[in-house]
Amino acid sequence: MQMAQKPLRLLACGDVEGKFDALFNRVRAIQKKSGNFDLLLCVGNFFGSTPDAEWEEYKTGIKKAPIQTYVLGANNQETVKYFQDVDGCELAENITYLGRKGVFTGSSGLQIVYLSGTESLNEPVPGYSFSPKDVSSLRTMLCSTPQFKGVDILLTSPWPKYVGNFGNSSGEVDTKKCGSALISSLATGLKPRYHFAALEKTYYERLPYRNHIVLQENAQHATRFIALANVGNPEKKKYLYAFSIVPMKLMDAAELVKQPPDVTENPYRKSGKEASTEEQTPAPEEESACQFFFDLNEKQGRKRSSTGRDSKSSPHPKQPRKPPQPPGPCWFCLASPEVEKHLVVNIGTHCYLALAKGGLSDDHVLILPIGHYQSVVELSAEVVEEVEKYKATLRRFFRSRGKRCVLFERNYKSHHLQLQIAQPGAAYFYVELDTGEKLFHRIKKNFPLQFGREVLASEAILNIPDKSDWRKCQISKEEEETLARRFRKDFEPFDFTVDDD
């Protein structure tokens, strides 16, 4: 039986618009009264459109956010300058920009999908907007695995269009006219348990809605859509929302799909008659984007090419999700033509073990995900789980041979993850010792690429200083094959991949 999982306590916030002190003072007061929260998620405009002295104090470290804060990117030209790196980056201590679009998986397995900016159907897409292609690639990346059930949280700035259908009144906001149809289609496909949005300067908590068709499909979890007002608004509309959540992957299936008593029909699902008579003339690009989402069976095989364009070749059978592709040559990816296959010593479902090229010792191994990921922080929950399994198994293996085990990972200027602690986009160096100690360093500026190796090779530890550069330790392919064969044989009794059907 699964152990009861302690829920995560999260806060979501609407448009901050540069009122950082007001927000963080409110958070401090809440935490003082009801204990600490794990994360604060901000949707809408985080920065105001006027230059801000308040932000300087956070940026320079004079003031510090009292909670790990994740924010979405710009929704207008004036604030684009604050978000230098499209893939996400640390903006100030404890404040992280998630990036233009993607998935953030917490160490708990919580999955948060984020999409920054406002909808744009015109090319070229402005730096503060997302396009139909952005949305379809996000959806394809997540939904194409057969075991996909949904995600925990979806963060967008605009509301999804039509969210008020079949629901309680959304006040002054007309959801038939306002909001993004692309976001509606994304929410339809991703089935988030919570979806947060802002930008309309009002609070609207929609009744939960179903993600399945009653009597035609098995029950699925419900979605709660919550739009939040702007920080410090004079009408005292709610801008901060507190909730507890157990990651979906850790929940009992029956518990997950329990339907709330006030659940409604899905607002984005149209009956056949309505769909044929309503809105005959959407913009052609929008139409194709939305068809891709609603008409799933027909277009399931549309694949994204590496140029980011959808290729519309003949319909294919459903493709398994392709792991992200590296931006250039990367010999660590099992899927990559550059990988040196003879160094691979064990293959799991999501990860594999390979001997290090020019290793410090004959049993210097790398734990690598089969797809391409920049760092542990970006891994999906299943991959993280298997990395942990490999780590525990290697510790046992080395202990049985009277050896100590040191694990380290560097996410800095390299394509591939080599061994969860940081935010996406943050450069870091991380070490785990077999005593259970963990060392973590956030990389700010230049950092020696071979730092971990140099320390281990130093006189104080392995005393092989001449081996600190892997390029000087290269041996012939035959010798590498011999070492790989030997490791495979020695590791066999510990191999957990053979037990798993």
Side-chain angles (χ1 to χ4, degrees):
M1 195 180 124
Q2 218 162 7
M3 290 287 291
Q5 177 68 22
K6 190 163 150 264
L8 292 161
R9 303 178 71 222
L10 307 185
L11 289 167
C13 177
D15 307 271
V16 181
E17 294 185 328
K19 295 182 177 170
F20 308 112
D21 288 350
L23 167 64
F24 292 133
N25 288 340
R26 179 91 186 90
V27 170
R28 275 188 197 94
I30 291 170
Q31 296 205 118
K32 195 172 176 184
K33 189 172 153 209
S34 31
N36 283 352
F37 282 76
D38 296 291
L39 296 176
L40 166 62
L41 309 169
C42 296
V43 292
N45 293 315
F46 187 66
F47 293 99
S49 39
T50 50
D52 199 41
E54 253 186 51
W55 175 242
E56 277 306 304
E57 297 189 300
Y58 288 91
K59 199 177 161 187
T60 54
I62 296 168
K63 289 182 176 170
K64 181 181 160 180
I67 183 172
Q68 193 60 261
T69 305
Y70 292 99
V71 310
L72 292 181
N75 299 294
N76 51 50
Q77 192 54 53
E78 297 86 72
T79 56
V80 167
K81 61 177 184 282
Y82 292 105
F83 304 98
Q84 296 294 321
D85 187 343
V86 293
D87 296 324
C89 53
E90 193 170 74
L91 300 175
E93 192 172 350
N94 268 359
I95 303 175
T96 302
Y97 164 44
L98 284 161
R100 278 197 62 221
K101 64 173 197 290
V103 192
F104 169 56
T105 304
S107 51
S108 56
L110 185 79
Q111 269 203 323
I112 302 173
V113 175
Y114 52 91
L115 178 66
S116 288
T118 56
E119 175 179 300
S120 170
L121 300 173
N122 305 318
E123 297 279 346
V125 177
Y128 53 85
S129 293
F130 57 84
S131 67
K133 282 179 198 143
D134 287 323
V135 172
S136 59
S137 73
L138 198 50
R139 203 179 165 290
T140 308
M141 183 177 101
L142 283 149
C143 307
S144 36
T145 54
Q147 64 274 34
F148 177 78
K149 289 208 293 272
V151 299
D152 290 306
I153 297 169
L154 172 61
L155 303 178
T156 63
S157 288
W159 290 29
K161 204 169 183 177
Y162 312 118
V163 70
N165 288 358
F166 315 121
N168 45 324
S169 160
S170 51
E172 61 269 37
V173 179
D174 178 356
T175 63
K176 285 189 168 55
K177 294 194 174 78
C178 147
S180 157
L182 288 176
I183 288 179
S184 315
S185 60
L186 185 64
T188 304
L190 293 186
K191 302 174 188 169
R193 291 162 68 199
Y194 284 88
H195 179 180
F196 293 99
L199 297 184
E200 299 300 329
K201 309 265 198 251
T202 191
Y203 168 65
Y204 171 49
E205 182 167 2
R206 192 203 182 280
L207 291 170
Y209 65 80
R210 284 184 204 100
N211 281 302
H212 61 282
I213 302 173
V214 180
L215 301 178
Q216 287 182 36
E217 295 175 323
N218 289 338
Q220 293 175 33
H221 58 271
T223 293
R224 294 170 189 277
F225 171 76
I226 294 133
L228 293 158
N230 44 319
V231 169
N233 65 83
E235 303 83 13
K236 303 254 185 293
K237 291 178 181 171
K238 188 171 174 131
Y239 65 83
L240 208 53
Y241 181 91
F243 65 111
S244 293
I245 186 168
V246 171
M248 183 187 274
K249 67 170 293 267
L250 301 175
M251 280 184 76
D252 174 65
E255 191 62 35
L256 179 65
V257 303
K258 266 190 187 156
Q259 300 296 300
D262 51 355
V263 71
T264 78
E265 189 42 72
N266 188 308
Y268 315 122
R269 191 175 283 123
K270 293 180 182 157
S271 69
K273 196 171 77 176
E274 271 181 284
S276 60
T277 57
E278 208 182 305
E279 293 192 37
Q280 282 295 312
T281 53
E285 269 186 281
E286 182 180 9
E287 181 179 40
S288 64
C290 289
Q291 272 182 339
F292 177 41
F293 295 112
F294 291 112
D295 206 6
L296 295 188
N297 303 333
E298 214 184 319
K299 302 268 194 337
Q300 196 81 51
R302 249 168 75 171
K303 293 210 299 289
R304 245 179 103 71
S305 66
S306 55
T307 58
R309 294 193 179 83
D310 283 317
S311 57
K312 294 185 186 173
S313 49
S314 61
H316 302 281
K318 186 166 165 183
Q319 299 285 335
R321 174 166 118 205
K322 261 190 151 166
Q325 296 302 305
C330 170
W331 74 266
F332 286 134
C333 288
L334 203 44
S336 159
E338 286 97 358
V339 72
E340 304 210 15
K341 303 276 196 301
H342 68 282
L343 291 171
V344 175
V345 288
N346 189 270
I347 302 181
T349 315
H350 306 285
C351 308
Y352 66 102
L353 285 186
L355 283 185
K357 192 129 185 76
L360 280 170
S361 60
D362 291 350
D363 44 16
H364 179 170
V365 285
L366 307 171
I367 305 175
L368 300 154
I370 287 169
H372 173 88
Y373 296 85
Q374 188 86 12
S375 77
V376 174
V377 179
E378 294 171 354
L379 296 185
S380 65
E382 299 83 45
V383 187
V384 169
E385 213 170 283
E386 197 169 82
V387 168
E388 289 304 319
K389 211 166 177 183
Y390 265 123
K391 279 159 47 174
T393 308
L394 284 168
R395 280 192 203 98
R396 284 206 315 278
F397 169 68
F398 287 124
R399 200 180 308 128
S400 76
R401 306 180 76 77
K403 295 185 176 185
R404 304 291 303 272
C405 174
V406 178
L407 297 149
F408 66 92
E409 187 214 344
R410 178 202 70 238
N411 168 34
Y412 182 65
K413 289 185 178 167
S414 91
H415 293 332
H416 208 294
L417 162 132
Q418 296 181 13
L419 230 190
Q420 168 138 9
I421 296 194
Q423 304 92 31
Y428 62 83
F429 186 82
Y430 172 64
V431 180
E432 252 180 67
L433 305 175
D434 55 11
T435 54
E437 286 168 282
K438 295 175 183 181
L439 313 172
F440 178 77
H441 172 68
R442 231 180 31 240
I443 297 171
K444 291 274 177 36
K445 284 257 165 42
N446 298 332
F447 188 80
L449 224 50
Q450 299 291 335
F451 177 74
R453 193 180 169 109
E454 285 165 11
V455 171
L456 290 170
S458 68
E459 284 90 342
I461 302 178
L462 290 173
N463 196 13
I464 41 172
D466 50 323
K467 284 198 168 188
S468 60
D469 183 348
W470 69 274
R471 285 173 295 245
K472 294 189 181 138
C473 305
Q474 296 207 38
I475 53 176
S476 70
K477 188 174 174 183
E478 288 68 33
E479 289 172 286
E480 285 178 340
E481 282 170 343
T482 306
L483 291 179
R485 259 198 311 276
R486 189 188 306 157
F487 188 94
R488 273 186 220 112
K489 188 169 175 293
D490 292 346
F491 189 68
E492 216 172 289
F494 295 83
D495 185 358
F496 62 83
T497 62
V498 290
D499 315 328
D500 297 354
D501 289 332

